[in-house]
Amino acid sequence: MDTTEIIIPGDTPGIEWRLPVLHFKGSDPHAPRIYIQAALHANELPGTALLHFLCRKLRAAEDAGRIASDITIVPQANPIGAAQSHFGELQGRFDLGSRTNFNRDFPLISLRDRDTLVEDLDRYPATDRLKRQLIHMALGADLVLDLHCDDESLQYAYIDEAFWPEAADLASALSMDALLLSDGESSAFEEAVGFAWKYEVPGEKRSRLPGKLSVTVELRGRRDVYPDMASADADGVFAFLAARGAVRDSAPLGAFTGPAVPLDNIEMIRTPVAGTLLFHRDIGETVAAGDLLATIVARPGMADGETEIRAPQAGLIVTRTSDRLVRRRADLMKIACDEPSTALRKAGTLED
């Protein structure tokens, strides 16, 4: 394993950010090239823990001569966000300077323009330099995993329909509970990678991308950072790499049996009022239309102080918030359903 470091100058005097990048050199030039990063949202650490254990397995495979692919790993992809502490709490999702989500506004380019991403970097603020260098590395690969987590959550992933059902092997390897299928048209990291592949020939969109994969993996919730979980997830990613020919290993994969649901079929449950949140249902439960999901105590002690929130249709509860004092219109749950939601929402990602 070789280690390099990308240095990102800060936007104020005396500041710079260092981004370690780990490299494993493959022996087969025809094997798929791999790029994996974690903690783009700097306070989402299950992926960082996973990659720590995965690198241990990859070093052993390297010593045994079993690595076929060139593999690039960035265990902590956002040193800028990791330094943002506000009143003692890490703020790793949004850049405090620009108020931009670290996983939005990636450049949407054609693959043939990849090298322009790192030209004249001095023109850009630190956050844009970071984004440009991350996506530049990813576009040198064939299989791209962006490791995130949700708040309280099952194991699931966002997968562009262009990679489905080929990506079922990843879902199987990581024992995912659900897949959310998208059209890949936002500016989030994994969709910007897919965009560059789809529009490799400008003006001509490819609808299928065989042999390619760019995916956001949601590794349960933010507090699910435990050695046994991380080690098991690392085993899963290693098995996926073996199935794709990146490492020489005979670990078999079973079939993915969970739901694969279009984003249009996700019910984003939001709070109609502010107040104290009382959940009646948990992640992993299947609910029927009309089931009581939660109660909001907006006016404690008053006879009319409660507001009930019920399921708009049947489905699987994939995520829920860890907050218990919620603002009006806060995101409460994601429910994966068989039918499209009737709720109005803007196109693109489910959350800001």
Side-chain angles (χ1 to χ4, degrees):
M1 184 184 80
D2 297 322
T3 303
T4 60
E5 197 171 55
I6 294 173
I7 297 177
I8 302 170
D11 298 327
T12 56
I15 297 294
E16 66 179 19
W17 315 104
R18 294 179 178 269
L19 183 71
V21 182
L22 314 182
H23 305 271
F24 294 87
K25 181 64 176 176
S27 59
D28 183 355
H30 301 293
R33 296 159 295 174
I34 311 298
Y35 177 83
I36 310 176
Q37 70 179 24
L40 181 56
H41 288 145
N43 56 349
E44 297 179 359
L45 297 174
T48 298
L50 182 161
L51 291 181
H52 176 71
F53 286 93
L54 179 64
C55 285
R56 181 183 297 175
K57 294 179 69 68
L58 290 175
R59 285 193 297 270
E62 183 178 50
D63 291 342
R66 294 191 291 119
I67 292 186
S69 292
D70 289 342
I71 302 173
T72 300
I73 292 180
V74 183
Q76 292 180 301
N78 187 359
I80 299 173
Q84 294 184 156
S85 182
H86 185 61
F87 296 127
E89 183 173 347
L90 178 62
Q91 302 291 327
R93 185 175 181 85
F94 296 93
D95 172 43
L96 295 185
S98 65
R99 295 181 289 180
T100 300
N101 188 319
F102 282 111
N103 193 25
R104 303 289 186 272
D105 296 339
F106 278 88
L108 299 178
I109 63 163
S110 167
L111 181 60
R112 64 174 58 186
D113 298 323
R114 176 192 173 210
D115 287 343
T116 65
L117 290 165
V118 291
E119 293 176 356
D120 300 322
L121 282 175
D122 288 342
R123 299 185 315 164
Y124 299 99
T127 52
D128 287 345
R129 290 171 69 116
L130 172 67
K131 290 178 180 181
R132 285 177 165 267
Q133 292 186 89
L134 290 174
I135 198 170
H136 180 265
M137 288 189 287
L139 287 176
D142 302 297
L143 306 178
V144 176
L145 307 185
D146 189 17
L147 305 182
H148 288 255
C149 68
D150 212 297
D151 204 346
E152 294 179 6
S153 174
L154 302 178
Q155 188 107 307
Y156 74 101
Y158 291 98
I159 295 181
D160 188 324
E161 292 172 346
F163 307 117
W164 184 253
E166 188 179 6
D169 57 352
L170 176 65
S172 171
L174 279 169
S175 301
M176 290 183 184
D177 298 290
L179 295 178
L180 309 188
L181 302 178
S182 74
D183 60 9
E185 295 296 325
S186 84
S187 63
F189 176 84
E190 114 274 354
E191 295 195 344
V193 171
F195 184 97
W197 291 338
K198 290 178 187 177
Y199 292 95
E200 184 173 0
V201 177
E204 297 182 15
K205 180 181 178 181
R206 299 171 62 190
S207 60
R208 307 297 301 172
L209 295 166
K212 298 282 193 180
L213 179 63
S214 180
V215 56
T216 291
V217 177
E218 301 283 359
L219 297 163
R220 307 179 191 87
R222 280 197 295 166
R223 295 184 180 273
D224 292 323
V225 187
Y226 300 98
D228 55 342
M229 282 185 174
S231 180
D233 288 340
D235 289 345
V237 172
F238 191 87
F240 164 74
L241 295 178
R244 291 293 181 109
V247 295
R248 299 181 182 93
D249 191 85
S250 59
L253 293 179
F256 171 66
T257 58
V261 179
L263 290 191
D264 286 346
N265 290 27
I266 302 300
E267 293 286 3
M268 291 295 296
I269 308 300
R270 294 187 168 91
T271 54
V273 295
T276 300
L277 172 60
L278 307 176
F279 275 120
H280 298 279
R281 306 303 291 262
D282 202 351
I283 57 172
E285 294 187 45
T286 298
V287 297
D291 279 357
L292 180 62
L293 302 175
T295 301
I296 308 294
V297 182
R299 302 170 63 222
M302 308 299 287
D304 59 351
E306 296 183 358
T307 298
E308 292 183 344
I309 300 176
R310 295 185 177 273
Q313 62 169 312
L316 173 69
I317 299 175
V318 179
T319 76
R320 71 179 194 181
T321 184
S322 62
D323 294 335
R324 294 300 182 267
L325 178 63
V326 293
R327 300 167 65 94
R328 187 173 65 85
R329 300 299 298 163
D331 294 328
L332 182 66
M333 285 177 166
K334 297 186 191 78
I335 303 179
C337 305
D338 290 334
E339 301 295 330
S341 171
T342 59
L344 296 176
R345 64 171 179 249
K346 63 182 180 181
T349 54
L350 295 176
E351 298 166 289
D352 293 330

